[in-house]
Amino acid sequence: MIQKTCLLVFSIWLLSCSGTKQETPDQTPSQDMEMQMETKYTPDMVVNEKDYTCGMPTSAGISDTCHYQGKAYGFCSAECMAEFKKNPEQYLPKQ
């Protein structure tokens, strides 16, 4: 019973990131936020171990990336990347 509940919760959490695609206005990326589309990124190529917008581990898969302040960040979906790009400082860990 507990395993089924955990599986259900995990499935809902997983689908919440990549479920429906939200339309976002086209934006011209700045030099600091350049989207890398040609390179297939792996977790060791980005600085974050989890998607800063939803918390999903980058080891589960990186669907989209962007550069901010000279660093590459990985995201589980284009929607999470778009949300991060709206206000990166809100999502980056405080140092």
Side-chain angles (χ1 to χ4, degrees), residues 1-93:
M1 179 68 176
I2 292 175
Q3 289 177 335
K4 288 181 181 179
T5 303
C6 289
L7 181 60
L8 177 65
V9 169
F10 179 75
S11 298
I12 292 170
W13 174 70
L14 185 60
L15 292 173
S16 69
C17 282
S18 58
T20 59
K21 183 172 182 169
Q22 299 173 355
E23 295 298 320
T24 56
D26 290 335
Q27 297 177 357
T28 304
S30 68
Q31 284 184 338
D32 285 346
M33 290 184 158
E34 188 175 320
M35 203 165 64
Q36 302 294 317
M37 292 193 173
E38 297 173 1
T39 304
K40 178 67 176 166
Y41 278 78
T42 60
D44 60 334
M45 298 169 75
V46 296
V47 298
N48 54 320
E49 292 182 359
K50 66 177 185 170
D51 183 324
Y52 285 134
T53 54
C54 71
M56 178 181 265
T58 56
S59 61
I62 297 174
S63 295
D64 231 331
T65 60
C66 76
H67 282 196
Y68 179 70
Q69 295 182 343
K71 296 178 183 175
Y73 293 92
F75 302 93
C76 70
S77 66
E79 293 82 12
C80 283
M81 183 195 66
E83 187 64 30
F84 174 83
K85 288 173 78 173
K86 289 178 187 176
N87 186 1
E89 294 302 321
Q90 170 188 346
Y91 294 104
L92 292 175

